[in-house]
Amino acid sequence: MSRPQALVTRTLLPDALDIIRQAADVDVWPDEWPPTAEELRRLASGADGILTTIMDRVDGALLDAAPNLRVVSQLAVGLDNVDVAEATRRGIPVGYTPGVLAKSTADLAFALLLGAARRTVESERAVRAGGWELQFHPTHWLGQDVHEACLGIVGLGQIGREIARRARGFDMDIIYYSRTRNPAAEVEYGVRYVAFPALLAEADFVALSVPLTPETHHLISRPQLEMMKPSGILINVSRGPVVDPRALYEALRDGQIARAALDVTAPEPIAPDDPLLTLENLVITPHIGSAALPSRLNTMKLAARNLAAGLRGEPMEACANPEVYEAA
Ligand code: DGY
């Protein structure tokens, strides 16, 4: 019997690839750049299973082009690039990677929060450019205290809860807003539920950790930025389109809010001439929230195990549409 054919759209660490190789013959897209939609359709045409990243669009056109496909495994917890409903209609299970990357992403949210609050990135840039002219000046480089400040977390999923856990170590007053209130987490993480406008008005730091959906697209736009404190700092480790970039640029330029720290942008990658990049009060990193070891390796292994299980016709460890198993 011939072995199944798997397509992996980006180079993985060897331990993860080995897991897939035990279940299938594997084609790995070797380039640094992701395949174009057309290339992806061509590559997937003979595949039984595909391991994707957030850069690959998994839509009806791709599924049409891959008639043998019986499993999609996404190397991410976010699935906004995957038409899960369409996969479900076709009985194709979609794997994803919850749990294994939440702590690393929360670590980065805190790195961004601290970097923006204490101006570490901005002052480091100044030092390198020869800007440390004075020994020490009592009024220079004043940032904002993080300890005992109010942190507003938007979205109390795994990543939001891990952000809260870290904030407790800084004695922060933690408030949250989420579509669904979570009384158990309120007790466990010492967080207080408030309405979204109240969160924006009360928080010194607003941290976004929501999935990208039609409801969260441009969740933060001009009216929301106007509700924030002028000293407020916005942190986004979720998805770029959750924030309206034009409105954010104007709010940062005009001092409507003090600073922002973004790990995600719309589009990604951000264009080199994007006006946001001209702002000193912006900290920006290139979507590295979960890019730490061993978390990334664990994420790859989970995605690999999901793919291998799907190819063997077994239930995946983490499946976004388990209803396909019931229908089968
Ligand atoms: C995720 O897992 O969704 C991260 O953003 C990395 O892709």
Side-chain angles (χ1 to χ4, degrees):
M1 207 174 93
S2 68
R3 275 160 64 80
Q5 190 63 44
L7 172 66
V8 176
T9 66
R10 208 58 75 79
T11 306
L12 303 180
L13 292 168
D15 284 2
L17 277 176
D18 286 349
I19 294 171
I20 307 171
R21 288 206 173 98
Q22 283 165 23
D25 290 336
V26 187
D27 275 340
V28 181
W29 173 254
D31 286 7
E32 289 296 309
W33 295 101
T36 62
E38 199 186 328
E39 279 164 338
L40 189 57
R41 286 197 291 274
R42 183 178 52 76
L43 292 165
S45 61
D48 299 292
I50 176 168
L51 189 144
T52 52
T53 76
I54 56 166
M55 302 307 291
D56 307 311
R57 185 137 295 286
V58 181
D59 53 12
L62 178 70
L63 300 178
D64 283 344
N68 301 339
L69 203 71
R70 50 194 158 92
V71 48
V72 172
S73 173
Q74 163 95 334
L75 179 77
V77 70
L79 283 162
D80 42 285
N81 58 308
V82 179
D83 188 341
V84 179
E86 186 54 40
T88 307
R89 262 193 295 281
R90 298 172 189 233
I92 299 175
V94 176
Y96 71 134
T97 58
V100 278
L101 50 76
K103 291 182 182 188
S104 299
T105 307
D107 288 349
L108 188 86
F110 247 84
L112 291 176
L113 186 155
L114 288 162
R118 298 304 309 273
R119 305 176 67 183
T120 54
V121 178
E122 199 184 338
S123 58
E124 202 255 9
R125 257 197 313 264
V127 172
R128 285 180 188 270
W132 193 355
E133 288 134 4
L134 302 164
Q135 294 279 318
F136 168 84
H137 194 292
T139 65
H140 282 190
W141 291 112
L142 292 176
Q144 282 165 240
D145 272 332
V146 173
H147 65 268
E148 293 165 18
C150 178
L151 171 65
I153 302 175
V154 183
L156 202 67
Q158 289 178 339
I159 294 170
R161 295 199 294 274
E162 289 297 334
I163 294 174
R165 195 196 295 281
R166 283 150 185 73
R168 289 183 76 173
F170 281 83
D171 290 332
M172 296 181 93
D173 174 23
I174 313 162
I175 55 180
Y176 82 101
Y177 168 73
S178 177
R179 233 178 6 167
T180 322
R181 197 171 162 173
N182 187 338
E186 288 171 26
V187 177
E188 185 174 349
Y189 296 91
V191 298
R192 187 161 48 86
Y193 177 85
V194 294
F196 188 41
L199 180 142
L200 295 170
E202 274 182 51
D204 298 303
F205 300 92
V206 173
L208 305 174
S209 57
V210 288
L212 176 61
T213 64
E215 292 76 42
T216 61
H217 184 264
H218 287 191
L219 183 69
I220 300 288
S221 194
R222 187 188 300 263
Q224 292 73 31
L225 291 161
E226 282 171 357
M227 284 181 220
M228 285 178 64
K229 293 181 180 178
S231 57
I233 295 182
L234 179 73
I235 297 113
N236 189 7
V237 291
S238 61
R239 285 291 184 266
V242 173
V243 177
D244 174 351
R246 182 78 213 168
L248 178 63
Y249 167 73
E250 287 170 3
L252 290 169
R253 181 198 61 191
D254 301 343
Q256 179 83 55
I257 66 168
R259 279 182 266 283
L262 308 177
D263 185 45
V264 288
T265 56
E268 259 175 47
I270 194 167
D273 61 352
D274 191 298
L276 278 166
L277 298 180
T278 63
L279 298 170
E280 282 297 328
N281 53 351
L282 176 79
V283 175
I284 183 160
T285 50
H287 203 143
I288 58 168
S290 58
L293 290 170
S295 294
R296 178 56 58 78
L297 176 60
N298 291 337
T299 307
M300 289 180 182
K301 284 177 165 174
L302 175 54
R305 290 197 301 274
N306 281 339
L307 182 63
L311 288 169
R312 293 188 179 110
E314 295 164 5
M316 292 176 177
E317 240 169 276
C319 181
N321 56 348
E323 59 273 29
V324 294
Y325 298 125
E326 280 139 43

